Amino acid sequence: MAGPEAGTEAAGDAALDAALDAAGDAALEAAVEAALGKLDLDAKARLLAGQDMWSLPALPEIGLESLVMSDGPIGVRGVRWTSGDPSVALPSPTALAATWDPELARRAGVLLAQEARRKGVHVLLAPTVNLHRSPLGGRHFEAYSEDPYLTGRIGTGYVRGVQSGGVGTTVKHFVANDAETDRFTVNNLVSERALRELYLAPFEAIVENAHPWGIMTAYNTVNGTSMTEHRYLVNEVLRGEWGFDGYNVSDWMAARDTVAAVEGGLDVAMPGPRTIFGQALAQAVRDGKAEESTVDGAVRNVLRLAARVGILEGARPAVTELPDTVGGEALAREIARRAFVLVRNEDRALPLRPDTTVALIGAAARDARVLGGGSAVVFPARVVSPLDGLTAALPDGSLSYAVGADPNTELAVADKGFELRALCRDEAGTLIGTGAAPTGEINWMGSDLPDGVTHDTLHTVELTGTFTPRESGPHVFGIKGTGAFTLTVDGTTYFDDVQRPADDGDPFESFFGTPQPHAETELTAGQPVEISLTFVVTLPAGIPFKAVVFALTYQEPQHDPDELIAEAVAAARAADTAVVVVATTERVESEGFDRKNLRLPGRQDDLVHAVAAANPNTVVVVNSGSPVEMPWRDEVAAVLLSWFPGQEGGAALADVLTGAHEPGGRLPTTWGSLADAPVTQVVPADGELPYTEGVFIGYRAWEKANRTPVHPFGHGLGYTDWAYESVAVEGSTLTVRIRNTGERTGREVVQVYLAPADTAPAPDRPVRWLAGFAGAEAGPGETVDVTVDLPRRAFEIWDEADRRWSFVKGSYEIQVGRSIADRRITATINV
Ligand code: BGC
């Protein structure tokens, strides 16, 4: 039973080795050269520009199929942005990192490659390996960690997994895209040392250990140069120093200058059809402003990618033998429970006693929030909510449910209770086609229109059908999108006007913008009413492709918040245990904006205070992708962080609450209050965001400031206990003996921190940093030896004067334990 986990990201994997071999495959390079030689300048320039939202043009003359890309990172959405084309939704990247298990990340990658193939996708727009610099970062949930080493290890496992399935990755967003405010224009001022030791480090580790076939350059500017034009970081560092041989795709609409971009190492400008490459690039060459040989280099990178993913005729794909099929639901559930972090468990409140009665409370317990917003959204075929999961797992009659507090203050896309379809008409009002509308959201991009419909003929889209309420009361209907709309509910027209965009400058406003309420009407539970929303098609401004984007939105009857809390308190009193699920919303954690604070939205904090006062056995499940403040933490028996747990989250939650499995996660990022957090700034001043903290982010900053966070980096409890018995050092290899001193089998994550032991180490080094980790399983009473190799890089700092890595000799204390704050044993190493 006892055993360290053999499967690191370097575990034997035939398909992967084949993929890596292929990197140097002379035959592949020859095929690329042969194809390149047959292309004229115009064809070459065309290949470097998106033909639509997600793909590059096919070039039949060289046997090249169209290369298709798709987001990423928790699933593969495919080229259609609709729940009509479902995808497996895995837990958020923060959750994957909380497993501290690169092998599990690799298995996630294998599943994603399988999903990509099913959807005809060749390249996944993932993983996101920016760092958790400030807890306010809006896309924090989409990145792994505040620590570059942990990020690099998880990202390496992920990329190796995806590519072992013959699908490419684009490690993103290169580099320093760590917040969202003014993301298209912000100039992040980052010292060379912070870049090397923190922000570039995960990219470097992944290039070295996983050989990614692609990279995505970020929207932002770094030290005065836009990342899509950053010749130094792309051509010199990424390609030159690290030997990256994949393709470099711009973030969507990030590329602005034809010559600067091609010279700065950008290979592909996305999306299309209007881009800075294509014709504009051919013209720049003709005008003598760009070299054709530079264009050739970019084309070579794209053709090499095409060869690897198997769409260039005559070239052997990198992977010829696919990995075994993976069960998506089972894997999503396994990752979720392995990611849940139990940060507090007083008197072993968890797992629940077998005969306990449970009051389940919280809006997100019923309408689960399983993923973060923005381009990371995928549409799963099913979602297991905590209510579904616990209903299935607990004996009949032992579970009650109350909403308690609903943080969703705005309308959501029409979904449950709606039966809709989309009628497409031409200018004369003649029906020209009908589209599926599994929800109230229409996102038809490029040529993805219903059969028989073209942009030239399409004039209006009417979403029409019925809505059957699940409760009686005043229901609100509204619209997301910009343009002319007519909204009719149950025979009454409530809106017949133009809805204008909010003026926040993000071109994806029509996709992610705020829904506006327009109709409020009393409806009776179970009685269907007719609904119609007509949109006079106007294409969203400021984006280079055609898209029909709008949504019918909806909100259930709102209840008096005090009454909701009182109901929950009554339910909590009547049960042995109260399980309260608190959550952030899509308005809090998404793309295109940052967070303003770390508070739970709505009355959720009041709810937990009240329930905890009514029932000492209160367990709080925090359903958020990134840190939130928990002012009630000391009042409750247990706190379990579930992240955005993916489509099977509720089933996984039942697994760990009932004790069928232990929660396996450890914090990949420090949790503290905003007031105490040392690095928070995400709002640029005069277009600039100086990273004044240098190399001190995350725990490095908390320790420097001598502040104690609420929950330290690496923290997480299981259902057993561990003793750290010994550590032996041989060269740079540590052997750590741990013993399971509890009563059930468990998995431990052994964490190794390195602390300069000399009194006067290099002046501005952190107190300690993560240098290695490994997982191991053991049964009750068993010991297990875990080996951890310390990488050379753990002892190096970036020397800004000499612009090179410098190995810092001296004496270090190796500190081994359960978190950065719970260090159990030490050893000294002199290097
Ligand atoms: C995001 C990328 C994403 C791309 C395509 C951008 O707005 O920053 O992460 O891959 O859109 O959806």
Side-chain angles (χ1 to χ4, degrees):
M1 157 54 48
E5 282 156 12
T8 65
E9 58 273 49
D13 180 333
L16 176 62
D17 290 341
L20 293 177
D21 283 343
D25 187 339
L28 181 140
E29 293 301 329
V32 165
E33 275 325 301
L36 174 66
K38 291 188 201 138
L39 296 176
D40 63 18
L41 175 62
D42 291 304
K44 288 189 259 191
R46 207 149 58 80
L47 180 61
L48 304 182
Q51 63 176 355
D52 55 24
M53 182 71 172
W54 304 117
S55 69
L56 300 184
L59 298 178
E61 63 269 35
I62 54 166
L64 175 70
E65 291 168 37
S66 164
L67 181 100
V68 179
M69 303 163 233
S70 173
D71 293 303
I74 60 145
V76 185
R77 196 174 49 242
V79 297
R80 308 192 50 222
W81 195 297
T82 161
S83 52
D85 186 13
S87 318
V88 175
L90 296 176
S92 57
T94 36
L96 191 60
T99 69
W100 289 59
D101 188 349
E103 166 59 13
L104 198 52
R106 187 194 65 80
R107 288 171 54 210
V110 172
L111 170 77
L112 295 172
Q114 178 183 309
E115 285 280 282
R117 286 182 167 271
R118 180 173 70 78
K119 291 193 161 218
V121 167
H122 307 112
V123 177
L124 191 61
L125 302 173
T128 304
V129 302
N130 299 117
L131 296 184
H132 296 164
R133 173 177 173 269
S134 160
L136 295 175
R139 287 175 90 174
H140 203 294
F141 70 89
E142 206 190 308
Y144 293 130
S145 168
E146 67 190 20
D147 182 77
Y149 178 73
L150 177 58
T151 300
R153 291 279 305 274
I154 298 294
T156 293
Y158 181 101
V159 168
R160 290 177 76 107
V162 175
Q163 294 188 173
S164 72
V167 171
T169 53
T170 54
V171 188
K172 70 188 187 182
H173 310 84
F174 188 74
V175 62
N177 183 177
D178 309 298
E180 293 293 285
T181 308
D182 298 343
R183 61 179 171 157
F184 284 84
T185 53
V186 60
N187 179 16
N188 292 325
L189 303 177
V190 195
S191 72
E192 185 121 346
R193 187 170 162 220
L195 269 177
R196 294 287 185 156
E197 293 183 24
L198 300 178
Y199 303 102
L200 289 171
F203 290 95
E204 182 183 13
I206 295 168
V207 169
E208 180 172 339
N209 299 312
H211 202 109
W213 301 343
I215 202 127
M216 183 191 288
T217 32
Y219 288 124
N220 51 277
T221 289
V222 170
N223 299 333
T225 306
S226 164
M227 279 313 304
T228 47
E229 301 166 10
H230 217 300
R231 195 198 295 234
Y232 170 64
L233 288 177
V234 172
N235 287 348
E236 292 185 35
V237 176
L238 171 69
R239 291 195 191 279
E241 288 180 31
W242 304 346
F244 171 72
D245 70 353
Y247 89 132
N248 168 10
V249 61
S250 72
D251 199 346
W252 266 228
M253 293 166 51
R256 275 153 283 198
D257 184 300
T258 304
V259 174
V262 77
E263 285 180 350
L266 186 74
D267 299 322
V268 169
M270 286 298 289
R274 289 198 309 278
T275 80
I276 55 143
F277 283 175
Q279 246 180 5
L281 180 58
Q283 196 55 47
V285 173
R286 291 201 174 96
D287 293 347
K289 292 184 185 142
E291 297 290 331
E292 184 156 0
S293 60
T294 314
V295 174
D296 286 350
V299 172
R300 229 174 245 123
N301 293 333
V302 174
L303 292 175
R304 186 178 302 117
L305 170 71
R308 285 172 169 160
V309 301
I311 57 167
L312 180 63
E313 212 173 81
R316 187 175 66 98
V319 174
T320 46
E321 216 175 298
L322 291 179
D324 293 343
T325 306
V326 181
E329 288 176 9
L331 184 60
R333 182 166 174 170
E334 181 184 348
I335 295 173
R337 65 186 177 232
R338 288 281 308 281
F340 292 163
V341 184
L342 183 59
V343 290
R344 176 181 172 88
N345 196 18
E346 294 299 288
D347 301 327
R348 295 195 181 268
L350 289 180
L352 301 172
R353 315 280 173 270
D355 52 359
T356 196
T357 56
V358 174
L360 180 64
I361 295 164
R366 183 178 62 181
D367 297 318
R369 177 133 161 85
V370 301
L371 42 77
S375 61
V377 166
V378 299
F379 301 90
R382 69 166 202 174
V383 166
V384 182
S385 70
L387 181 57
D388 300 331
L390 283 174
T391 303
L394 297 179
D396 282 353
S398 57
L399 182 68
S400 66
Y401 172 73
V403 174
D406 189 349
N408 298 296
T409 48
E410 70 179 33
L411 290 75
V413 168
D415 190 352
K416 283 183 189 143
F418 287 84
E419 298 272 342
L420 302 167
R421 67 212 163 101
L423 305 181
C424 302
R425 298 193 175 87
D426 64 14
E427 206 158 358
T430 309
L431 190 67
I432 51 173
T434 303
T439 70
E441 187 166 32
I442 296 291
N443 275 318
W444 295 335
M445 285 182 250
S447 54
D448 179 29
L449 292 171
D451 285 348
V453 180
T454 62
H455 282 287
D456 290 341
T457 52
L458 182 62
H459 182 61
T460 63
V461 179
E462 181 189 4
L463 264 178
T464 175
T466 58
F467 169 60
T468 311
R470 65 181 169 187
E471 61 176 290
S472 301
H475 295 251
V476 179
F477 300 84
I479 304 166
K480 186 175 80 171
T482 55
F485 292 94
T486 309
L487 173 63
T488 305
V489 181
D490 202 14
T492 306
T493 296
Y494 289 88
F495 185 81
D496 189 12
D497 205 342
V498 173
Q499 185 162 283
R500 305 200 184 278
D503 191 23
D504 80 343
D506 195 301
F508 295 115
E509 159 75 18
S510 36
F511 294 85
F512 307 139
T514 314
Q516 303 299 331
H518 291 299
E520 182 173 323
T521 177
E522 285 287 330
L523 299 176
T524 310
Q527 284 192 13
V529 290
E530 303 281 328
I531 299 279
S532 159
L533 174 65
T534 300
F535 173 48
V536 181
V537 175
T538 24
L539 302 176
I543 59 173
F545 54 91
K546 293 183 175 165
V548 180
V549 186
F550 71 99
L552 171 67
T553 59
Y554 165 73
Q555 192 178 40
E556 286 205 317
Q558 298 296 288
H559 298 274
D560 174 12
D562 291 325
E563 261 169 41
L564 287 182
I565 291 179
E567 270 167 34
V569 165
R573 270 208 191 99
D576 300 327
T577 307
V579 175
V580 189
V581 181
V582 293
T584 58
T585 68
E586 187 144 359
R587 285 292 133 206
V588 177
E589 292 185 77
S590 186
E591 185 172 324
F593 54 87
D594 289 309
R595 297 165 75 186
K596 304 252 176 314
N597 57 58
L598 302 184
R599 289 194 294 276
L600 284 167
R603 296 283 302 277
Q604 297 183 97
D605 286 333
D606 294 341
L607 170 69
V608 181
H609 285 305
V611 170
N615 189 331
N617 274 329
T618 293
V619 174
V620 180
V621 177
V622 181
N623 178 193
S624 70
S626 42
V628 296
E629 286 165 358
M630 305 181 288
W632 31 259
R633 192 188 71 102
D634 295 335
E635 298 157 31
V636 302
V639 179
L640 181 73
L641 312 180
S642 76
W643 312 105
F644 293 139
Q647 66 172 63
E648 304 297 316
L653 184 65
D655 289 342
V656 305
L657 293 182
T658 59
H661 291 269
E662 73 171 349
R666 305 290 186 268
L667 283 177
T669 220
T670 308
W671 277 45
S673 68
L674 186 61
D676 288 345
V679 181
T680 57
Q681 187 57 267
V682 289
V683 179
D686 297 329
E688 292 182 343
L689 185 65
Y691 285 24
T692 47
E693 70 286 347
V695 295
F696 296 94
I697 64 167
Y699 62 77
R700 291 163 165 85
W702 284 87
E703 293 206 316
K704 185 174 194 219
N706 223 338
R707 290 185 205 159
T708 309
V710 178
H711 293 298
F713 179 79
H715 174 61
L717 308 166
Y719 288 157
T720 187
D721 294 312
W722 298 91
Y724 279 65
E725 297 196 332
S726 61
V727 52
V729 187
E730 180 131 7
S732 58
T733 301
L734 311 183
T735 306
V736 180
R737 175 161 298 177
I738 55 172
R739 180 186 297 276
N740 180 343
T741 56
E743 274 149 30
R744 56 179 284 166
T745 296
R747 177 179 185 271
E748 176 67 327
V749 177
V750 173
Q751 303 167 32
V752 178
Y753 296 90
L754 200 59
D758 306 305
T759 44
D764 46 1
R765 294 183 96 184
V767 177
R768 74 194 104 243
W769 53 90
L770 182 70
F773 64 89
E777 238 186 69
E782 288 181 336
T783 59
V784 54
D785 286 343
V786 176
T787 47
V788 175
D789 287 316
L790 297 180
R792 182 183 168 85
R793 183 55 58 78
F795 300 90
E796 292 179 325
I797 60 172
W798 182 258
D799 182 331
E800 290 194 329
D802 284 355
R803 300 191 100 180
R804 60 174 181 85
W805 288 103
S806 148
F807 188 89
V808 184
K809 293 200 178 116
S811 178
Y812 291 82
E813 190 169 76
I814 295 167
Q815 307 172 336
V816 187
R818 311 206 65 233
S819 78
I820 195 162
D822 186 1
R823 305 179 299 276
R824 299 290 180 89
I825 41 173
T826 61
T828 300
I829 185 170
N830 294 300
V831 292

